[in-house]
Amino acid sequence: MRFVKQVCYLVNLLHDCGTHKLNKLFKPCHQWSTDKITLRLFLQRGSLSTMAEMQDCQHDAGLYSPNPSVSGMTCLDRDAFNKTITVPVIRVKKEIINQVMKALKHRLVQRPHLKRVIEDPKDEINKLVLLDPFKVTSDESFEECDHLLFKKFGVSPQITKYELQLTYENFKGDEILRAVLPKGQDVTSGFSRVGHIAHMNLREHQLPYKNLIGQVILDKNPGITSVVNKINTIDSTYRNFQMEVLAGEENMITKVKENYITYEFDFSKVYWNPRLSTEHERIIHVLKPGDVLFDVFAGVGPFAIPTAKKNCIVYANDLNPESYKWLLHNCKLNKVDKKVFASNVDGRDFIKTIVKTELLKYIKLFSNEQKNKIHIVMNLPAMAIEFLDAFINLCEEEPCSDAVLPTVHCYSFSKDDNPKRDVKEKAESILGAQLDDCSVHLVRNVAPNKDMMCISFQVPAKVLYKTRADTADEPTAKRSRTEEESATEN
Ligand SMILES: C[S@@+](CC[C@H](N)C(=O)[O-])C[C@H]1O[C@@H](n2cnc3c(N)ncnc32)[C@H](O)[C@@H]1O
């Protein structure tokens, strides 16, 4: 029944369009399966002369695939990719070649780095124009508009065959890797780009081919001069990767641009993730000129430097001496070294010393006018939430009623089915207080069952300020106050 329906559909199609349109409709013949068989049967029954084209077309399904002999290659042999294919050509007079090429753009052979016009040593008047073998299978493949064009330029629509030599240059990176790596296994050749470095995370089955993969990425991506592979899970302290250079230069000092700011750093020694640029931008946008930012885990400055550029007052800290070094370097590079106060201590110490002192100053300063805000960014998703306890009883004075409380933006991973609730509950449990006005934002999905979240909330005054009761018996006082409150709230 399905076959009959398809035949009827094709009869109508043929009747309506003519064979050239049908060819056009089904042109990437390696992409259709059931329809291809149906179409062949139909064409046989209808005794149409396009049968040969269809067979050719079917035969050419692997036309642009490298030679099967490259399968399993571990050391890149570029010559093994040389391959001769047959493509259709037309002859075009030399003086009108550019106009014809422009008009026939959609019918030309499409391959990387391939010259589509060939000199014929025996023909002084014409050149050969290489056509797409999937789009042009016979003279009949041309449409009315093509014929009008040929007429206008005096070009003969007669096509002939040309033996075209493809080389390594003419294959795309993923075509090469698909042909080399074992069939049926994932050949994902994706990478993150960090300046001149392509950063890969190869799977087990790809490791025997790692140097070849590195070389292909290097060859096929202009501007990349080094390919590295992550060789272990992210280092727990400074969040930088252990990496192995697969191809190209060993130099890991690189330069990137993010949100219009230039950063330089040694990628092997600091944390940098190009996938965070939207998140950096989101937070940068929240801060207004004159606001204060405390960046507890600042890295090389992707929150700190753009906000300083916006005329915010910035305190940026990182425990990794290399991050600190590059943070200072980037502040200078972007001419904000006078606006960013950098430090190189543990995040908890930073909160308990620098944040504590400066916070009180800005709370007093901002509380009168209520114009500016104080933000604290904590981007260390594996552990930042555990640092929230540093805010408990941080300020020793009693708050004034209109005190400007700081807004914390704290990052956390979650593997929970409900990551928003999960992160909120974790933060509440560490702070010992409910966060009724918080917002939880999904930053990105980092693994199939792992999300990176950002919880933003104003630190409640009862958490931040030490009361007399807290002074008497610190932990109990906070806990009992929270229990009492939750009892009245529920
Ligand atoms: C995930 S990175 C974030 C860097 C930067 N804020 C960004 O968004 O790209 C976390 C940073 O925290 C730093 N770090 C790790 N443990 C720390 C700690 N205990 N105290 C302060 N910084 C720490 C690491 O060196 C790293 O630069």
Side-chain angles (χ1 to χ4, degrees), residues 237-238 271 280 297-299 302-303 318-320 346-347 379-380 387:
T237 314
Y238 299 143
Y271 177 90
H280 292 149
F297 309 104
F303 288 116
D318 201 285
L319 182 61
N320 179 358
D346 175 73
N379 182 16
L380 179 60
F387 284 67

Side-chain angles (χ1 to χ4, degrees), residues 138-345:
S138 78
D139 305 358
E140 280 184 53
S141 306
F142 295 119
E143 290 180 28
E144 227 168 281
C145 55
D146 298 321
H147 285 291
L148 284 174
L149 183 103
F150 292 146
K151 207 166 164 193
K152 179 177 164 196
F153 290 111
V155 174
S156 161
Q158 200 185 8
I159 63 166
T160 47
K161 288 178 176 175
Y162 180 79
E163 301 285 286
L164 173 69
Q165 169 91 36
L166 292 182
T167 68
Y168 174 80
E169 295 294 305
N170 308 130
F171 293 102
K172 298 177 194 160
D174 59 339
E175 289 169 340
I176 292 170
L177 296 181
R178 213 175 302 128
V180 170
L181 269 72
K183 295 264 167 301
Q185 286 193 324
D186 179 20
V187 290
T188 315
S189 52
F191 57 85
S192 300
R193 185 168 180 171
V194 180
H196 68 281
I197 305 160
H199 175 222
M200 308 197 80
N201 190 1
L202 294 179
R203 317 248 174 88
E204 194 69 30
H205 72 272
Q206 297 165 325
L207 293 179
Y209 306 91
K210 62 183 182 183
N211 296 105
L212 180 141
I213 295 174
Q215 192 56 55
V216 173
I217 300 289
L218 203 67
D219 291 343
K220 298 293 174 185
N221 294 280
I224 286 191
T225 53
S226 185
V227 183
V228 300
N229 185 36
K230 176 170 150 181
I231 51 174
N232 67 348
T233 51
I234 198 161
D235 175 81
S236 60
T237 314
Y238 299 143
R239 319 306 298 160
N240 57 323
F241 302 99
Q242 296 251 344
M243 54 186 77
E244 173 190 23
V245 177
L246 301 180
E249 57 173 314
E250 298 273 334
N251 170 31
M252 292 291 115
I253 297 181
T254 195
K255 190 188 223 171
V256 300
K257 218 170 184 152
E258 184 187 272
N259 297 320
Y260 307 102
I261 305 282
T262 303
Y263 300 90
E264 288 174 349
F265 49 83
D266 184 336
F267 185 54
S268 65
K269 295 187 177 146
V270 304
Y271 177 90
W272 182 266
N273 187 346
R275 296 195 179 109
L276 287 180
S277 82
T278 310
E279 179 57 17
H280 292 149
E281 192 183 7
R282 186 180 74 89
I283 297 291
I284 295 158
H285 189 71
V286 171
L287 277 101
K288 304 282 173 270
D291 285 357
V292 173
L293 170 71
F294 294 101
D295 190 352
V296 185
F297 309 104
V300 299
F303 288 116
I305 294 170
T307 42
K309 275 264 177 218
K310 279 178 85 170
N311 280 329
C312 295
I313 304 149
V314 179
Y315 295 82
N317 173 69
D318 201 285
L319 182 61
N320 179 358
E322 282 290 324
S323 296
Y324 174 68
K325 179 181 117 183
W326 290 104
L327 171 67
L328 294 177
H329 173 88
N330 290 319
C331 287
K332 272 215 171 83
L333 185 69
N334 291 286
K335 301 186 173 55
V336 290
D337 47 322
K338 301 272 182 302
K339 293 181 188 163
V340 177
F341 303 94
S343 56
N344 177 212
V345 297

Side-chain angles (χ1 to χ4, degrees), residues 435-457:
L435 298 173
D436 295 325
D437 284 335
C438 71
S439 67
V440 188
H441 171 79
L442 169 67
V443 177
R444 64 187 201 98
N445 179 245
V446 289
N449 189 26
K450 190 174 172 185
D451 295 315
M452 178 178 173
M453 313 296 293
C454 176
I455 180 166
S456 297
F457 60 90

Side-chain angles (χ1 to χ4, degrees), residues 24 42 64 83 165 211 229 252 357 385 394 420 433:
K24 193 181 156 220
F42 171 70
Y64 291 156
K83 172 180 182 178
Q165 169 91 36
N211 296 105
N229 185 36
M252 292 291 115
T357 318
I385 217 154
L394 191 67
K420 290 193 175 185

